[in-house]
């Protein structure tokens, strides 16, 4: 079976949703495919205190309709200059205009309230950009609105649980092969392609862009851990900025805060399954509740002694392989270590029950084995993470980290970021293969829901301007 369309959009996360929505509005024939399930069928078992089972190979947190806008979670929308490299590519004024249009497309008439950092005279330079937190109800409304608008468009088709297995040039367009969950296959001919695969498609895209001989540069990866504690210990950071972000240089190691989740109800930790290993994600809880926990990550740049970034092969061998060996029950799933043990590279606390007794709280998720997470980190990076964390905690709480406060902290891993190749793109997000555009995480330029939506919108507007609507293979 062969389907002919104007544009094939691969990935129904924020970038793909906005791209398909904009192209459909222009009268184009669009096929939007995604490997995951519809949003109504994306319950995460870890949220229910069950074990992470990988969702039969399709993680419900990082794939499916909505992508990182996980149905039922609160999320943050961060305006530029968050995603600075994308803004530089688009141009500052154009990036701001696209962001305004993307917010309207995502949120409709109910525009969220954005606010920046509050003034502070502390020792850390906080990155200042407007942030809005959306409640779980707002996220549900957002996804449902986009779903109904896209599926109602006469020229647009949405196919879930469908993966693109190959992509190659065909005359003046592109040919893709797809595989559905029921063993179905299809050939798709498209004048243009928007690749918006997000984290679920990272490894597929890494291989595909090499086969297509696209121009790119290697990433500069980072490794880190996530700290979880009673919300009161981390509240100061979110009071300064909802997405408290700073960079700390300690003993020659560059450390940055990442994904600060300490809203009125604290934050949630998510498991993001990549098949042979599972990493972490965090979501804010804007709805107030008592007894909550909050979390944030610290990430350290991975560099060789000569200053060059570590390769993905080095990450696989020196971090992911030992990470997979940490758990004896289910290799490659996240682990937890009591902070005093993490700091001293010891393992006196050996169970979740003992952790709860020592810390005074239960982790927000229970699918952990307690083990020596510190032991797989390079010593210089481990020391830098601890020093940066304690400097931040002293700032948040007005004094050096006490043994009592240290005992209330869980260290959870593993965090890995910046594994995407950085693509060479035009200011319309077109790759070095004419007609193939990239948006969202897979550009290697920026992370963030709004940044992904901006990229999808920029690509769609360029395609619409070039085609005039329905010209091309499907005309």
């Amino acid at each position: 079976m062969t389907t002919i369309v104007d544009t094939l959009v691969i990935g129904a996360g924020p970038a793909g949703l906005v791209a398909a929505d904009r192209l459909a509005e222009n009268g184009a024939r669009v096929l939007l495919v995604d490997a995951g399930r519809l949003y109504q069928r994306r319950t995460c078992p870890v949220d229910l205190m069950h074990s992470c089972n990988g969702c039969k190979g399709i993680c419900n947190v990082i794939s499916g309709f909505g992508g990182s806008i996980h149905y039922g979670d609160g999320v943050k929308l961060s305006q530029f200059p968050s995603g600075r490299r994308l803004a530089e590519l688009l141009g500052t004024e154009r990036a701001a205009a696209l962001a305004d249009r993307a917010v309207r497309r995502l949120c409709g008439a109910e525009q969220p309230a954005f606010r920046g950092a509050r003034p502070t005279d502390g020792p850390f330079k906080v990155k200042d950009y407007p942030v809005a937190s959306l409640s779980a109800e707002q996220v549900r409304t957002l996804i449902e609105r986009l779903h109904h608008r896209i599926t109602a468009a006469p020229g647009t088709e949405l196919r879930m649980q469908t993966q693109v297995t190959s992509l190659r040039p065909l005359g003046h367009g592109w040919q893709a092969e797809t595989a559905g969950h029921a063993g179905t296959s299809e050939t798709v001919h498209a004048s243009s392609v928007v690749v918006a695969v997000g984290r679920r498609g990272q490894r597929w895209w890494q291989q595909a862009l090499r086969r297509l001989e696209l121009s790119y540069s290697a990433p500069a990866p980072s490794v880190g851990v996530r700290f979880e504690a009673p919300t009161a210990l981390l509240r100061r950071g979110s009071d300064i900025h909802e997405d408290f972000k700073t960079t700390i240089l300690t003993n020659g190691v560059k450390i940055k805060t990442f994904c600060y989740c300490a809203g009125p109800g604290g934050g949630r930790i998510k498991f993001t399954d990549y098949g042979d290993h599972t990493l972490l994600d965090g979501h804010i809880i804007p709805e107030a509740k008592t007894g909550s926990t909050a979390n944030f990550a610290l990430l350290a740049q991975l560099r060789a002694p000569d200053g060059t970034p570590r390769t993905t092969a080095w990450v696989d061998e020196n971090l992911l392989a030992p990470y997979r060996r940490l758990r004896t029950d289910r290799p490659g799933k996240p682990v937890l270590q009591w902070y005093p043990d993490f700091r001293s590279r010891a393992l006196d606390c050996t169970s979740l029950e003992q952790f709860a007794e020592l810390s005074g709280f239960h982790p927000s998720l229970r699918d952990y084995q307690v083990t020596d997470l510190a032991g797989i980190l390079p010593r210089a990076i481990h020391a830098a993470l601890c020093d940066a964390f304690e400097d931040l905690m002293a700032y948040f709480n007005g004094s050096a980290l006490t043994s009592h406060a240290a005992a209330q902290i869980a260290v959870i891993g593993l965090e890995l970021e910046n594994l995407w190749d950085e693509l060479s793109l035009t200011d319309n997000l077109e790759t070095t293969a004419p007609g193939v555009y990239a948006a969202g995480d897979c550009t290697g330029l920026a992370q963030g829901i709004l940044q992904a939506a901006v990229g999808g919108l920029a690509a769609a507007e360029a395609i619409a301007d070039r085609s005039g609507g329905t010209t091309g293979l499907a005309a």
Side-chain angles (χ1 to χ4, degrees):
M1 176 180 174
T2 300
T3 296
I4 300 175
V5 295
D6 294 306
T7 302
L8 169 66
V9 180
I10 308 173
L17 291 173
V18 169
D21 187 44
R22 173 65 181 84
L23 288 164
E25 183 180 81
N26 211 58
R29 184 177 174 187
V30 181
L31 175 61
L32 172 62
V33 300
D34 193 283
R37 301 172 178 84
L38 279 169
Y39 63 86
Q40 302 101 323
R41 298 179 53 219
R42 296 184 59 222
T43 300
C44 180
V46 180
D47 289 347
L48 305 176
M49 299 304 170
H50 299 158
S51 295
C52 173
N53 58 25
C55 298
K56 298 180 180 178
I58 305 293
C59 175
N60 276 339
V61 176
I62 61 172
S63 61
F65 195 91
S68 63
I69 315 178
H70 187 58
Y71 190 70
D73 273 345
V75 300
K76 291 191 288 268
L77 301 182
S78 299
Q79 291 273 15
F80 295 110
S82 178
R84 173 183 54 82
R85 287 182 296 167
L86 177 61
E88 290 171 350
L89 178 69
L90 295 169
T92 304
E93 291 185 7
R94 180 171 170 236
L98 283 165
D100 287 344
R101 296 202 292 276
V103 170
R104 289 197 297 272
R105 197 168 286 273
L106 289 170
C107 300
E110 300 173 2
Q111 293 294 291
F114 286 87
R115 74 172 179 87
R118 292 190 173 96
T120 176
D121 57 359
F124 301 104
K125 183 178 180 181
V126 180
K127 296 181 181 178
D128 190 8
Y129 47 85
V131 176
S133 294
L134 303 185
S135 68
E137 181 59 35
Q138 288 174 306
V139 170
R140 284 192 289 269
T141 300
L142 181 159
I143 292 177
E144 289 167 357
R145 182 192 301 116
L146 274 172
H147 171 84
H148 292 308
R149 198 161 66 219
I150 287 171
T151 55
T156 299
E157 186 175 356
L158 168 64
R159 293 187 194 160
M160 301 303 298
Q161 296 181 273
T162 301
Q163 301 189 60
V164 173
T165 57
S166 70
L167 181 66
R168 65 181 182 87
L170 177 69
H172 297 293
W174 292 87
Q175 177 174 303
E177 303 296 332
T178 69
H181 70 288
T184 58
S185 61
E186 184 178 11
T187 298
V188 180
H189 292 172
S191 297
S192 57
V193 178
V194 177
V195 181
V197 290
R199 288 174 292 175
R200 171 64 179 83
Q202 191 261 338
R203 297 211 170 185
W204 173 82
W205 182 231
Q206 187 179 57
Q207 297 167 358
L209 70 88
R210 285 160 174 76
R211 285 196 300 269
L212 295 172
E213 298 182 340
L214 303 186
S215 179
Y216 68 92
S217 57
S222 297
V223 65
V225 294
R226 190 167 289 270
F227 299 89
E228 185 171 49
T231 301
L233 287 178
L234 302 182
R235 179 71 72 196
R236 168 70 173 157
S238 61
D239 286 345
I240 295 169
H241 195 275
E242 287 185 51
D243 193 21
F244 183 94
K245 224 171 240 187
T246 190
T247 299
I248 303 169
L249 186 65
T250 176
N251 297 322
V253 180
K254 187 177 181 181
I255 304 284
K256 70 173 183 179
T257 58
F258 182 74
C259 196
Y260 204 92
C261 300
R268 307 174 75 185
I269 291 178
K270 292 287 190 177
F271 286 11
T272 58
D273 192 86
Y274 290 85
D276 63 357
H277 62 276
T278 299
L279 303 177
L280 298 175
D281 191 18
H283 289 254
I284 193 170
I285 303 179
E287 303 91 343
K289 70 175 186 177
T290 58
S292 62
T293 61
N295 66 84
F296 75 100
L298 286 180
L299 294 169
Q301 283 190 346
L302 288 167
R303 294 191 176 273
D306 64 0
T308 59
R310 293 293 191 183
T311 65
T312 52
W314 187 96
V315 171
D316 285 343
E317 179 181 352
N318 293 277
L319 290 171
L320 284 176
Y323 174 54
R324 284 190 287 268
R325 292 193 293 267
L326 281 179
R327 284 188 70 157
T328 56
D329 59 341
R330 290 161 56 244
K333 299 300 181 185
V335 299
L336 179 147
Q337 191 169 14
W338 186 42
Y339 182 73
D341 284 355
F342 181 82
R343 186 64 164 109
S344 61
R345 297 176 78 96
L347 196 61
D348 293 328
C349 174
T350 58
S351 69
L352 287 178
E353 292 76 15
Q354 188 181 7
F355 171 82
E357 181 179 348
L358 291 167
S359 68
F361 78 96
H362 288 280
S364 58
L365 302 177
R366 310 293 167 84
D367 188 12
Y368 300 117
Q369 189 173 67
V370 177
T371 188
D372 185 13
L373 175 60
I376 71 169
L377 297 173
R379 284 190 173 273
I381 284 178
H382 167 262
L385 290 170
C386 291
D387 289 349
F389 175 71
E390 292 185 13
D391 287 346
L392 285 165
M393 292 301 289
Y395 174 52
F396 293 157
N397 297 288
S399 62
L401 185 68
T402 65
S403 59
H404 175 71
Q408 299 178 65
I409 297 160
V411 187
I412 303 165
L414 194 63
E415 288 271 1
L416 283 173
E417 291 295 332
N418 302 334
L419 300 179
W420 293 95
D421 297 306
E422 185 175 330
L423 294 173
S424 298
L425 299 169
T426 70
D427 60 3
N428 289 321
L429 283 297
E430 189 171 20
T431 70
T432 50
V436 176
Y437 298 76
D441 285 2
C442 69
T443 63
L445 290 177
Q447 294 178 307
I449 290 168
L450 186 53
Q451 285 66 32
V454 164
L457 185 58
E461 290 186 350
I463 293 169
D465 289 344
R466 178 176 294 181
S467 68
T470 57
T471 62
L473 292 175

